[in-house]
Amino acid sequence: MTTRFLITALSACFAAAISVPALAAPIQPFSAAALKAAQIAGKPVLVDVHADWWPTCRRQAPTITELSHDPAFARLVILKLDFDSQVPAREALGVSKQSTLVVYKGTRETARATGIVDRDQIRALVATATTATR
């Protein structure tokens, strides 16, 4: 009876494990190496050019955090580039303003926007590089 219980318990755990949706990777600090690795892997990437002090960036943050937990964006790599301290990196990306979102599908830039805060607009921007359509 103990063996039957163990098999039943393990089966239930396995079933639960495979039914849990994948979550996107956590938001990572930007680095050129992380961007390049994600691009070479063909992953969709969102570069969030962020300044903590800028109100627009603060309004974008909840939606970007939401994306990082949404199974529809499970493959999305989110890289947060600090507008003030990572000047050479943002200049290399051609970004001159905080609250700029740059989206890539592999090495191809699919979208770029500055100052958008609407949840649906941000999701649509990111969806240009993913199969998500929500």
Side-chain angles (χ1 to χ4, degrees):
M1 180 114 119
T2 304
T3 303
R4 184 179 297 159
F5 174 77
L6 182 59
I7 291 171
T8 303
L10 288 174
S11 296
C13 288
F14 180 73
I18 62 172
S19 67
V20 174
L23 299 179
I27 298 170
Q28 305 168 46
F30 178 89
S31 73
L35 175 60
K36 186 173 184 171
Q39 289 178 318
I40 289 171
K43 293 186 176 185
V45 179
L46 169 61
V47 177
D48 171 19
V49 182
H50 183 87
D52 288 334
W53 53 268
W54 190 245
T56 305
C57 293
R58 288 195 303 261
R59 289 183 58 203
Q60 290 173 331
T63 299
I64 294 168
T65 299
E66 176 186 301
L67 291 172
S68 75
H69 294 94
D70 188 334
F73 295 95
R75 291 193 29 139
L76 180 64
V77 174
I78 302 173
L79 301 174
K80 190 174 204 174
L81 190 153
D82 186 281
F83 179 82
D84 296 310
S85 68
Q86 295 184 290
V87 175
R90 75 172 160 83
E91 288 176 346
L93 295 176
V95 173
S96 60
K97 297 184 180 193
Q98 62 276 19
S99 74
T100 298
L101 305 174
V102 185
V103 182
Y104 296 92
K105 183 172 190 169
T107 57
R108 184 175 59 88
E109 183 176 323
T110 62
R112 178 182 293 239
T114 300
I116 63 171
V117 295
D118 180 76
R119 176 186 180 272
D120 292 336
Q121 288 180 333
I122 293 171
R123 291 176 71 87
L125 188 85
V126 172
T128 63
T130 68
T131 57
T133 56
R134 294 188 347 171

